[in-house]
Every structure is written in C-alpha cells, then in structure tokens.
Amino acid sequence: MIRNYIKTAWRNLAKNKFYSLINIAGLTVGLAIGIMILLWVQDELSFDSYHKNTPNIYRLELFGGTGASRQIWTLGVAPIGPLSKQALPQIEDFVRLRDNGGNIFKYGDKVFADENAGFADPSLFSVFDFPLTQGNAANPFPNDNSVVITKKTAEKFFGTADPIGKVIRSNDKENLTVSGVVKDFPDNSSINYDMIMPFSYLVHHLLNDDKVDLNNNFTWFSYETFLLLKPGTDLKDLSVKIRQVHLAHKPDDTDADYLLLPLAKMHLYNADLTDKGIGTVRIFLIVALLILVIACINYVNLSTARSMLRSKEISMRKIVGAAKWQLFIQFIVETALLFLLAAALALGLIFLLMPIFNQVSGKQLIFNLSDYHIWVVILSTIAGTLAASSIYPALLLSSFEPLKALKGKISAGIGDVLFRKILVVTQFVFSIVLIVGTIVITRQLNYIRSRNLGYDKTNVFMFDMRAIGPHYDAVRAELLKQPGILDVARSSGSIVHIGGQDGTSDWDGKPANSTFIVHPMVVDKDLISFLKLKMASGSAFTGAPNDSAHFILNEAAIKEIGMKDPVGKRFKMDNITGTIIGVVKDFHFASMKEKIGPTVFIYQPKWMPIVYVKTTGRDAALAINAAETQFKHYNGQYPFSYYFMDDVFNNLYKGEQTEGKLFNYFAAIAIFISCLGLLGLAAFTAQLRTREIGVRKVLGASVSGIVSLLARDFVKLVFIAILIATPLSWFAMNKWLQDYAYHIGIGWWVFFAAGLLAIVIAFITISFQSIKAALMNPVKSLRSE
Amino acid sequence: MKRIGETQMIKITDLEKYYRTEEVETIALNKLSIEVKTGEFVAIMGPSGCGKSTLLNILGMLDDPDGGSYVFNGVEVAHFNERKRADLRKHNIGFVFQSFNLIDELTVFENVELPLIYTGIPSAERVKRVEEVLDKMQIMHRRNHYPQQLSGGQQQRVAIARAVVNKPKLILADEPTGNLDSSNGNEVMELLTDLNEQGTTIIMVTHSEHDARYSHRIIRLLDGQTVVENIMI
C-alpha cells in the first residue's frame, strides 16, 4: 500500500512541477536556515556541559560594593577556594584559574608570543574532563616549573617529537618542562588554554618577588574559582558559609556576598542569572522557529488550496474502499516524500552555506553528519515541521465527502479560505517583524557608531610597550618626529573599555560601611588632550612628581559620591591619599548597554604599559612601521602587535553586529519563503479564475484592471499583517533597546518603511502571475474551461 | 437469460431525501419504495432531477437518506456510520460512472488494483486477479498506460474492471454509456450483461431507452417517486 502511496505522490510531484518546485524550494531554504540556526543555538547551550561533574561544578562569584556600585565580580580573591574547602565539607574540591598572557615562549629557534597561557590548580584535570593524553592527571605538575600543553601546542612547538620532558624557555627567564599533554579544549568550553602552569608557581613567585602572600591575600580580585560540590548541596546555605569564611579572614568586607553560578549556565548567564547571552539564544531560537513555521505555512497553504484538484482521486479512493485513516496515511506519506527531498537538498545547502554562516555568526560549527548531536537537531526539526505541515492537509483531504468531491461541489473554498488567509497574514506578520527588527538593530548600531563618545578615537592605534617603559620619553620624542604621527600618549589600558574595578576609595564624608566601586585608569599627562577629553572643572595632570597623589574623577563619580566643589578635596584610593585636581566630563568607557559609570584617572608612570599613537590616517602605515622599529629596538625578538581603537570599539559590539547581520539575512530569507508561497497561491488563484478573466477581457477589462483584481485580495492580507505586526514588533524591539542605556527611539516611519517594503515585494510577486493571467488570450482562457 | 434469484438483495421503504439551501428545500426522494432481488438487472430512468442519481448514491451507501428504511442483504443500513458503510461498500458494491472517474496518476493496472489494496489482498493475489479481469475486459495490452492515453470506451472498460475486480455482489452504474459513442456504448452494455449473467446484480441509471432494454426491469421515477415499473420480456 505504501508503495502505491509513494508512486502516486511521486507522480503528483512530477505532474505539477511548478508547485512542487515552490514547495520544495521553500521547504529546502526554510529547513536549511532553520537547522543552521538551531545548530548555533545547540552549540550555545552545550557550553561546558560535557564534563561528568558539570551538575556539581559552580563558579564562585562575588557580589560586592554598596549602593549603585554594587556588582558581580567574576574574579575573586585567591584564598577563598582552599579556605572554604578546608572549612566546609560540602566542597569536594576547588580549581583556581588566572590568565597569564603577554609572554614569549621559545623552543630552539622557534619563538611564540601568542600562546594563551594560564595558571591552574592541578585539580583542573580531575574536577573537569580535560583528559591528558600524556602525563599523570593525578600529578600533572611535578614541580612549579612544569607546564601542561595542548596537543595542538605540542605539535606547534615540537612537531612529531615526544613533548614530555622538553624544556620551553619563558620570557628568557624561566625554563618550563613539559609534564603533560592535554587534549585540545573543545570550542564549546569556556575554559580554554594552550599552556597551563601550576598555580603554585604564581604563589611562590609573588611571595619571593613581590612579598605578597597570595594564600592570605584578600585585596587582589584576580582569580576565577570553581568549586566541585557534593550532590544535593544547599547552595544558599553554602554561599552564606563561604561569606563567613571570607569575613573570618577579612572582617571589614561586610558587603561581600557570594554567588554560585552553575558551570553549565556560565556561558549564557551572569551569576545572578541575568542575561549574558541567553537573550540572543532565545531570539535566534524564535527566529529559527519563525522561519520553519513560514516554510510550513507555504506547504499547508499550497496543498490545501490545490486539494480541490485532487477531489476526484480522493473520492474514487473512498468509493473503492479507502478508509479515512488510509487516506490520512497516504497524504502524510506524500508530505514525507516531499520533506525527504527538501531535507536532502537542505543538507546539501547547509554544507554549502556553513562556511558563510560561520563567518557571519563568528562560530566554528562543523557540519559533521557522524555527530549524533547534529542528527538530533536535523531529525527533530524535520519531524516537527513534517508534523506541522502534514496533519492539517491530510485531515482535510481525507475528510472529503466523496459524492461532493466527485461532483466538483468542493470548490476553491475548500480547506477554509479564511484559514489560508490567516496563514498568509501570519507569514507576513513574521516577515514584517523581522524587517522592523533589522531596521531597528541597524539604526541602533549606527547610533552607537556615530554617537559622541566624549573622546576622539579616530586614527589611533595602541601597542604594549613591554621593555620600552624607562625609555618612554625618548621613544615618544622619536615617534613625534615621524611625519605620519600627530601625537603619542600612554595609559594602563584601553579607554574604550576600562575593565578594572576598585573598591578601596575613601573621601571625607564617605558613609560608613559603604563600598564605592570605581573603574580606575592610569593615564599620563598627555592622554586627556590626546583623546580630546573635556575637563568639567579643575586641571589635567602636568607630569609633576606630585601628580601621583592627584586624582581626576569623572562627572558620574562625583555625582555618585555626592561631593560638591570636588576640586582640591581629599581622596584616597589603594593606599594613596591625595587630592582631586580635576573633573573630566563623562565619556563612554564601556558598552552603551551600560550607563556611564564612575571612573578615576591616576597618574603612576610605572603602570602605563600601553602606548597610544595618533596618526594622520593617510600615513598610518608609516606610523606603524616607526612604532615597530622603536618596539624592536627595546624588545628584540618579541613580536610587535598593535590594534586600532576603532577595532577595539567595534569589538565591544561584536555580538550586536553579528546579531544585526544575521537579522538582515533572516528577514530576507523569511520574506523570500513567504513570497514563494504567495507566488504559488497567486498562480493557483489565477488558474482558478481563468474563465472569469477570459469573460472580463471579452467584456473589455484592461490588463491593469485584471492585475489589480487579482492582486487586491493578497495586498489586503499584507495590510492586515502590517496592522498586527506593528504593535508586536514595537513591543519586541522596544524590549531589545531597553538593554542599551543609550538607544534610539522607534519612529512611526520604521513601521511604514517595513510595511511598504512588504507590500512592494508582495505586489511584485503577485503581479508576476497576475500579468501572465491577464495577458492570456481570452479565447484560450474560455476554451480551457 | 439467467434466472433471477428469489433472495431479496435490496429493500427500500418510504425512502426520503431532501436537499436544503437557506431558502429552498427540494425533495429528491419522496417516500420511495423499491425492492431488488439478487441477480436482477434493473434500469432506473426518468427526467433530469427526478432523483435517479440520488437513489443510486443512497443504494451505494455514498449518501444518507433523510428518512425511511434501506435493507441490504437483510441488514438495515440506513443509519450506518461512515466506517460501517465504507466497509460494507468495499466488500459488496462496485461502481461505474458516466465520466469513468479513473485516477489520472495511476496506470490501468494500478487503477484496477486499487480496491484490492484497500481490502487487504496480498500482492501476488492482486496481480493474478487484476490480470484476470483485464484479460476478461480485453484491455490487458493497455495495462501500463495512463487513463489519458486511452479512448473513452477503453477507459470505461477499465472502470468496469475496477468495479468488478473485488467480485462485488452489486454493481451500480450511473449512465455508463453517457460519454461513449454507440459502438463503445453497446460493448459496455454487453459487458454489464455478461456480468449479470454470471450472477452480479446490476442497478443502472440511464437516459437511454436502448440501454434500458438490456435490463430485466425498468423503474421510472418522477419527482422522487416511482411512477411505473416495466418488466422486460
């Protein structure tokens, strides 16, 4: 029986090539794009979930500060892990991590400077599933100078030679002996290193070189701590107890609360479970479903519209004995066959599009059909869409009354015209919402790009000076002589994103038991004028020795601490007591998602490793060459790397830019699939009305009159879609914009433009068929009846 | 002529059927009573709109009566649900239509095979029975052709083959020669007569006095009622 169904289905497909093509094309594109987005979503949700201990691993995060400056600190103090484990039986183990970037590693004549190195406790290899292919997981670091490297790094350093026991020279100072090789960290791991050195190395070096006892240091917030807990641990209770451990060693940190963030949520959530990416995942999940629904609607619409053409076949099958369920199965099989074809084509399309998708989405997804995860997505998508597309038409077709169907009494109205109209409206609602989304996201990104940041970042590049430090003045003077260089300055980091936080500040009148979290940045005397930052009051640094006891705060900081006439007032930070000499006007030193927070400029020549060079733009290449020459002069073999402020700035909004680009594509695809469906329906309507068109033409109707007659009904549906999509898209995009402290408004013209675009595209689609029908010779049209 | 059996196959009593629109109610069958014996060949005649086709559809269990009784082979079927009717239909009744109603997407063989598929006959048995009946209808050489590739007469032979392949007790024919020229029409009538002589009961709706002469009895309808019955000698 199934063979008979497949045969009929195949012959139907072949007989109605135009409609088959529309159905298959719509489903293929819909399935391909839907599956790709779902693979992206799956990858995002899979982060850090593959460790067998995942359900019991938590990252310990600090919720500190008081008032408006209270926030979550991912990096905490070093001793909290070991002390908590000692005191609290719920904690089975802990792992501390700290990045160790900016080093140069040598092996023989090979020099590497871009290794992603870090310090970790040996428990990294027992708590997490990062398997060692060589070495001893129970004792990965036999001594402080041991290093575990990834397989890829081993190949890079040593080729095919056995890496164990090989000695890598670090910064021309230390010898590191390879004690283990770990499998490369998966792409969906939040923890990702090329080289891992023991945490004890860091502890001993800080103790010996800087006399800092990291095991008892509660002021350096630089360490990530993971805890492996016993199953069933009460997290709230444990957080309170960890806080007590902290306070037992540092009683004045009364504002320090601890949060435990589950490992599996680390990638997409902040420790307070607010959005750190889950919002985008949800948006993409919705977009994938919308695209799949649009593709399904096409199929449902076309198959129900065309069902009347099959009424004779269905009637005869019923008359000769087919039961309703047999016909139901027949139509499900037919849809499944079409889906099978579309799915096969979709898989091919995914193979072709995956590199482009990866490029746009910034992922490295591999479409490997031997990976069962991929099949979970593919099969569930196909099963879901197949069910959504097949059940209604199958029910409809199988419930035909044979007599009516046979007599042709089942007319164009079959399958409920209203239902079909609702589906077309739904498709266009989705498409218009996506168009509005595209316009709003693009405009918001343009707004971010064009908004006055409060400083000038044009034609500025930066580089890490390393050993230039003591020779900075000479290097600056030398660089300023170059024709392409307009100015040179230095600071502790990039002003585009001042990441550091400090909670030690104090001033006269500061409320008791309050912590004011401020973002400090060390700047030299030239940086304020270099970046064209504006002073609200007071003066900038002059470079005099007493500047190291001077502070410049921004307006937001002054407002938050509530200080009147701040210039000349006492301010203390990190054991330096001094005076506020100026207030700098607010500028954006973080993403525009955040309100401008408090920042403070400090002058400490020792802590300014980043050189800023302003070029003429045209001679940027010359300026970079000059900077490289100076760098090499003092740093020898160290590779010179630089980055433009514009790129750093753009990086801040990488996620949004990706989202924007993808939205553009998705909206275009949604419109394309919707139009395919519309094209099919328009063609079918024209076919049904062939006789009417013939009669009208004989009676003198013009081509334009007939086109408008056929297009009118569809355009009406798009108008209804605009009415529904407007409030929906306003609500959705307004919510999206709320994530930005600084954002555009959504003007009425956005909806007008999106609606107009939808109408124009729909009209062009329909006209294509309508004109064809209108131009048909009426004699033929009438004869065909 | 084959002797008509004594067993009663169909007995309808006071059968009523109305067609209603919002404004008009049309009476298609008005307390109609008819009996048909096993092995009979009955022609139903009458002007357009007299209720011939309605009667045939109710007899074929494709339609419900609005009132009265319909006893088929001793079982009251007037109020059977769709599933029971479908089941009874596929095992007992074959249909032949004026416009053949073959499925365009299926070949001659596949069209004839269809009723056997729905009655669950195994594949090998199906092939045997379809070939037998195609042979009998002298259409075997066209087994792999599609309906559009056949003449009207050939299409009606296929339709008859499809109607008889399940060996039904009753064949309902709705103007089986209406779309055929006289030569093809006569051939179809000969085929139906042969089938009747082999024991199949036939009820045929027709406008043609010529065709009606092939039957044993003509029932003439007017306004949903029997006006006269002619026994053919």
Side-chain angles (χ1 to χ4, degrees), chain A residues 175-189:
Chain A
N175 284 336
L176 306 173
T177 307
V178 178
S179 58
V181 176
V182 63
K183 254 177 86 173
D184 293 332
F185 289 81
D187 284 338
N188 59 350
S189 171

mmCIF file with all atom_site columns, all heavy atoms in Angstrom, chain A residues 175-189:
data_model
loop_
_atom_site.group_PDB
_atom_site.id
_atom_site.type_symbol
_atom_site.label_atom_id
_atom_site.label_alt_id
_atom_site.label_comp_id
_atom_site.label_asym_id
_atom_site.label_entity_id
_atom_site.label_seq_id
_atom_site.pdbx_PDB_ins_code
_atom_site.Cartn_x
_atom_site.Cartn_y
_atom_site.Cartn_z
_atom_site.occupancy
_atom_site.B_iso_or_equiv
_atom_site.pdbx_formal_charge
_atom_site.auth_seq_id
_atom_site.auth_comp_id
_atom_site.auth_asym_id
_atom_site.auth_atom_id
_atom_site.pdbx_PDB_model_num
ATOM 1   N N   . ASN A 1 175 ? 62.783 28.351 32.761 1.00 0.00 ? 175 ASN A N   1
ATOM 2   C CA  . ASN A 1 175 ? 62.657 27.134 31.973 1.00 0.00 ? 175 ASN A CA  1
ATOM 3   C C   . ASN A 1 175 ? 61.428 26.374 32.445 1.00 0.00 ? 175 ASN A C   1
ATOM 4   O O   . ASN A 1 175 ? 61.257 26.139 33.648 1.00 0.00 ? 175 ASN A O   1
ATOM 5   C CB  . ASN A 1 175 ? 63.882 26.251 32.159 1.00 0.00 ? 175 ASN A CB  1
ATOM 6   C CG  . ASN A 1 175 ? 65.060 26.802 31.385 1.00 0.00 ? 175 ASN A CG  1
ATOM 7   O OD1 . ASN A 1 175 ? 64.875 27.520 30.408 1.00 0.00 ? 175 ASN A OD1 1
ATOM 8   N ND2 . ASN A 1 175 ? 66.263 26.500 31.832 1.00 0.00 ? 175 ASN A ND2 1
ATOM 9   N N   . LEU A 1 176 ? 60.552 26.019 31.500 1.00 0.00 ? 176 LEU A N   1
ATOM 10  C CA  . LEU A 1 176 ? 59.354 25.249 31.842 1.00 0.00 ? 176 LEU A CA  1
ATOM 11  C C   . LEU A 1 176 ? 59.486 23.866 31.212 1.00 0.00 ? 176 LEU A C   1
ATOM 12  O O   . LEU A 1 176 ? 59.794 23.763 30.023 1.00 0.00 ? 176 LEU A O   1
ATOM 13  C CB  . LEU A 1 176 ? 58.095 25.937 31.309 1.00 0.00 ? 176 LEU A CB  1
ATOM 14  C CG  . LEU A 1 176 ? 57.884 27.402 31.711 1.00 0.00 ? 176 LEU A CG  1
ATOM 15  C CD1 . LEU A 1 176 ? 56.687 27.989 30.974 1.00 0.00 ? 176 LEU A CD1 1
ATOM 16  C CD2 . LEU A 1 176 ? 57.672 27.517 33.222 1.00 0.00 ? 176 LEU A CD2 1
ATOM 17  N N   . THR A 1 177 ? 59.265 22.850 32.016 1.00 0.00 ? 177 THR A N   1
ATOM 18  C CA  . THR A 1 177 ? 59.386 21.488 31.491 1.00 0.00 ? 177 THR A CA  1
ATOM 19  C C   . THR A 1 177 ? 58.000 20.914 31.210 1.00 0.00 ? 177 THR A C   1
ATOM 20  O O   . THR A 1 177 ? 57.115 20.964 32.087 1.00 0.00 ? 177 THR A O   1
ATOM 21  C CB  . THR A 1 177 ? 60.092 20.581 32.510 1.00 0.00 ? 177 THR A CB  1
ATOM 22  O OG1 . THR A 1 177 ? 61.319 21.223 32.856 1.00 0.00 ? 177 THR A OG1 1
ATOM 23  C CG2 . THR A 1 177 ? 60.383 19.200 31.924 1.00 0.00 ? 177 THR A CG2 1
ATOM 24  N N   . VAL A 1 178 ? 57.828 20.420 30.011 1.00 0.00 ? 178 VAL A N   1
ATOM 25  C CA  . VAL A 1 178 ? 56.517 19.867 29.645 1.00 0.00 ? 178 VAL A CA  1
ATOM 26  C C   . VAL A 1 178 ? 56.290 18.572 30.430 1.00 0.00 ? 178 VAL A C   1
ATOM 27  O O   . VAL A 1 178 ? 57.068 17.625 30.321 1.00 0.00 ? 178 VAL A O   1
ATOM 28  C CB  . VAL A 1 178 ? 56.415 19.600 28.126 1.00 0.00 ? 178 VAL A CB  1
ATOM 29  C CG1 . VAL A 1 178 ? 55.069 18.973 27.783 1.00 0.00 ? 178 VAL A CG1 1
ATOM 30  C CG2 . VAL A 1 178 ? 56.622 20.886 27.344 1.00 0.00 ? 178 VAL A CG2 1
ATOM 31  N N   . SER A 1 179 ? 55.202 18.586 31.247 1.00 0.00 ? 179 SER A N   1
ATOM 32  C CA  . SER A 1 179 ? 54.934 17.405 32.066 1.00 0.00 ? 179 SER A CA  1
ATOM 33  C C   . SER A 1 179 ? 53.669 16.684 31.617 1.00 0.00 ? 179 SER A C   1
ATOM 34  O O   . SER A 1 179 ? 53.351 15.616 32.112 1.00 0.00 ? 179 SER A O   1
ATOM 35  C CB  . SER A 1 179 ? 54.783 17.822 33.530 1.00 0.00 ? 179 SER A CB  1
ATOM 36  O OG  . SER A 1 179 ? 53.738 18.780 33.631 1.00 0.00 ? 179 SER A OG  1
ATOM 37  N N   . GLY A 1 180 ? 52.953 17.285 30.689 1.00 0.00 ? 180 GLY A N   1
ATOM 38  C CA  . GLY A 1 180 ? 51.723 16.623 30.243 1.00 0.00 ? 180 GLY A CA  1
ATOM 39  C C   . GLY A 1 180 ? 51.203 17.240 28.953 1.00 0.00 ? 180 GLY A C   1
ATOM 40  O O   . GLY A 1 180 ? 51.512 18.390 28.626 1.00 0.00 ? 180 GLY A O   1
ATOM 41  N N   . VAL A 1 181 ? 50.413 16.445 28.241 1.00 0.00 ? 181 VAL A N   1
ATOM 42  C CA  . VAL A 1 181 ? 49.740 16.958 27.044 1.00 0.00 ? 181 VAL A CA  1
ATOM 43  C C   . VAL A 1 181 ? 48.249 16.715 27.219 1.00 0.00 ? 181 VAL A C   1
ATOM 44  O O   . VAL A 1 181 ? 47.811 15.598 27.510 1.00 0.00 ? 181 VAL A O   1
ATOM 45  C CB  . VAL A 1 181 ? 50.243 16.233 25.770 1.00 0.00 ? 181 VAL A CB  1
ATOM 46  C CG1 . VAL A 1 181 ? 49.459 16.717 24.547 1.00 0.00 ? 181 VAL A CG1 1
ATOM 47  C CG2 . VAL A 1 181 ? 51.731 16.454 25.573 1.00 0.00 ? 181 VAL A CG2 1
ATOM 48  N N   . VAL A 1 182 ? 47.492 17.794 27.121 1.00 0.00 ? 182 VAL A N   1
ATOM 49  C CA  . VAL A 1 182 ? 46.045 17.688 27.301 1.00 0.00 ? 182 VAL A CA  1
ATOM 50  C C   . VAL A 1 182 ? 45.390 17.773 25.918 1.00 0.00 ? 182 VAL A C   1
ATOM 51  O O   . VAL A 1 182 ? 45.900 18.453 25.023 1.00 0.00 ? 182 VAL A O   1
ATOM 52  C CB  . VAL A 1 182 ? 45.531 18.809 28.239 1.00 0.00 ? 182 VAL A CB  1
ATOM 53  C CG1 . VAL A 1 182 ? 45.761 20.197 27.662 1.00 0.00 ? 182 VAL A CG1 1
ATOM 54  C CG2 . VAL A 1 182 ? 44.064 18.621 28.578 1.00 0.00 ? 182 VAL A CG2 1
ATOM 55  N N   . LYS A 1 183 ? 44.295 17.052 25.774 1.00 0.00 ? 183 LYS A N   1
ATOM 56  C CA  . LYS A 1 183 ? 43.543 17.135 24.503 1.00 0.00 ? 183 LYS A CA  1
ATOM 57  C C   . LYS A 1 183 ? 43.129 18.585 24.291 1.00 0.00 ? 183 LYS A C   1
ATOM 58  O O   . LYS A 1 183 ? 42.814 19.293 25.259 1.00 0.00 ? 183 LYS A O   1
ATOM 59  C CB  . LYS A 1 183 ? 42.281 16.271 24.597 1.00 0.00 ? 183 LYS A CB  1
ATOM 60  C CG  . LYS A 1 183 ? 42.397 14.988 23.809 1.00 0.00 ? 183 LYS A CG  1
ATOM 61  C CD  . LYS A 1 183 ? 41.175 14.143 23.984 1.00 0.00 ? 183 LYS A CD  1
ATOM 62  C CE  . LYS A 1 183 ? 40.072 14.511 22.999 1.00 0.00 ? 183 LYS A CE  1
ATOM 63  N NZ  . LYS A 1 183 ? 38.939 13.573 23.076 1.00 0.00 ? 183 LYS A NZ  1
ATOM 64  N N   . ASP A 1 184 ? 43.105 19.033 23.044 1.00 0.00 ? 184 ASP A N   1
ATOM 65  C CA  . ASP A 1 184 ? 42.716 20.428 22.784 1.00 0.00 ? 184 ASP A CA  1
ATOM 66  C C   . ASP A 1 184 ? 41.354 20.710 23.427 1.00 0.00 ? 184 ASP A C   1
ATOM 67  O O   . ASP A 1 184 ? 40.455 19.874 23.380 1.00 0.00 ? 184 ASP A O   1
ATOM 68  C CB  . ASP A 1 184 ? 42.628 20.670 21.278 1.00 0.00 ? 184 ASP A CB  1
ATOM 69  C CG  . ASP A 1 184 ? 44.003 20.588 20.625 1.00 0.00 ? 184 ASP A CG  1
ATOM 70  O OD1 . ASP A 1 184 ? 45.004 20.880 21.316 1.00 0.00 ? 184 ASP A OD1 1
ATOM 71  O OD2 . ASP A 1 184 ? 44.082 20.207 19.443 1.00 0.00 ? 184 ASP A OD2 1
ATOM 72  N N   . PHE A 1 185 ? 41.238 21.894 24.017 1.00 0.00 ? 185 PHE A N   1
ATOM 73  C CA  . PHE A 1 185 ? 39.977 22.260 24.662 1.00 0.00 ? 185 PHE A CA  1
ATOM 74  C C   . PHE A 1 185 ? 38.903 22.382 23.585 1.00 0.00 ? 185 PHE A C   1
ATOM 75  O O   . PHE A 1 185 ? 39.151 22.981 22.535 1.00 0.00 ? 185 PHE A O   1
ATOM 76  C CB  . PHE A 1 185 ? 40.124 23.583 25.416 1.00 0.00 ? 185 PHE A CB  1
ATOM 77  C CG  . PHE A 1 185 ? 40.978 23.473 26.643 1.00 0.00 ? 185 PHE A CG  1
ATOM 78  C CD1 . PHE A 1 185 ? 42.359 23.489 26.563 1.00 0.00 ? 185 PHE A CD1 1
ATOM 79  C CD2 . PHE A 1 185 ? 40.384 23.333 27.890 1.00 0.00 ? 185 PHE A CD2 1
ATOM 80  C CE1 . PHE A 1 185 ? 43.149 23.372 27.694 1.00 0.00 ? 185 PHE A CE1 1
ATOM 81  C CE2 . PHE A 1 185 ? 41.167 23.211 29.031 1.00 0.00 ? 185 PHE A CE2 1
ATOM 82  C CZ  . PHE A 1 185 ? 42.555 23.232 28.940 1.00 0.00 ? 185 PHE A CZ  1
ATOM 83  N N   . PRO A 1 186 ? 37.736 21.820 23.828 1.00 0.00 ? 186 PRO A N   1
ATOM 84  C CA  . PRO A 1 186 ? 36.690 21.914 22.797 1.00 0.00 ? 186 PRO A CA  1
ATOM 85  C C   . PRO A 1 186 ? 36.291 23.372 22.568 1.00 0.00 ? 186 PRO A C   1
ATOM 86  O O   . PRO A 1 186 ? 36.452 24.212 23.463 1.00 0.00 ? 186 PRO A O   1
ATOM 87  C CB  . PRO A 1 186 ? 35.517 21.129 23.392 1.00 0.00 ? 186 PRO A CB  1
ATOM 88  C CG  . PRO A 1 186 ? 36.026 20.444 24.593 1.00 0.00 ? 186 PRO A CG  1
ATOM 89  C CD  . PRO A 1 186 ? 37.289 21.102 25.018 1.00 0.00 ? 186 PRO A CD  1
ATOM 90  N N   . ASP A 1 187 ? 35.752 23.641 21.384 1.00 0.00 ? 187 ASP A N   1
ATOM 91  C CA  . ASP A 1 187 ? 35.314 25.011 21.073 1.00 0.00 ? 187 ASP A CA  1
ATOM 92  C C   . ASP A 1 187 ? 34.219 25.477 22.018 1.00 0.00 ? 187 ASP A C   1
ATOM 93  O O   . ASP A 1 187 ? 34.079 26.667 22.269 1.00 0.00 ? 187 ASP A O   1
ATOM 94  C CB  . ASP A 1 187 ? 34.792 25.085 19.629 1.00 0.00 ? 187 ASP A CB  1
ATOM 95  C CG  . ASP A 1 187 ? 35.939 25.089 18.635 1.00 0.00 ? 187 ASP A CG  1
ATOM 96  O OD1 . ASP A 1 187 ? 37.063 25.458 19.037 1.00 0.00 ? 187 ASP A OD1 1
ATOM 97  O OD2 . ASP A 1 187 ? 35.722 24.694 17.473 1.00 0.00 ? 187 ASP A OD2 1
ATOM 98  N N   . ASN A 1 188 ? 33.429 24.517 22.513 1.00 0.00 ? 188 ASN A N   1
ATOM 99  C CA  . ASN A 1 188 ? 32.339 24.941 23.396 1.00 0.00 ? 188 ASN A CA  1
ATOM 100 C C   . ASN A 1 188 ? 32.734 24.827 24.877 1.00 0.00 ? 188 ASN A C   1
ATOM 101 O O   . ASN A 1 188 ? 31.923 24.492 25.720 1.00 0.00 ? 188 ASN A O   1
ATOM 102 C CB  . ASN A 1 188 ? 31.060 24.159 23.112 1.00 0.00 ? 188 ASN A CB  1
ATOM 103 C CG  . ASN A 1 188 ? 31.231 22.671 23.295 1.00 0.00 ? 188 ASN A CG  1
ATOM 104 O OD1 . ASN A 1 188 ? 32.356 22.199 23.465 1.00 0.00 ? 188 ASN A OD1 1
ATOM 105 N ND2 . ASN A 1 188 ? 30.131 21.936 23.285 1.00 0.00 ? 188 ASN A ND2 1
ATOM 106 N N   . SER A 1 189 ? 34.014 25.140 25.134 1.00 0.00 ? 189 SER A N   1
ATOM 107 C CA  . SER A 1 189 ? 34.474 25.192 26.520 1.00 0.00 ? 189 SER A CA  1
ATOM 108 C C   . SER A 1 189 ? 34.760 26.649 26.880 1.00 0.00 ? 189 SER A C   1
ATOM 109 O O   . SER A 1 189 ? 35.421 27.357 26.130 1.00 0.00 ? 189 SER A O   1
ATOM 110 C CB  . SER A 1 189 ? 35.759 24.370 26.664 1.00 0.00 ? 189 SER A CB  1
ATOM 111 O OG  . SER A 1 189 ? 36.329 24.584 27.926 1.00 0.00 ? 189 SER A OG  1
#
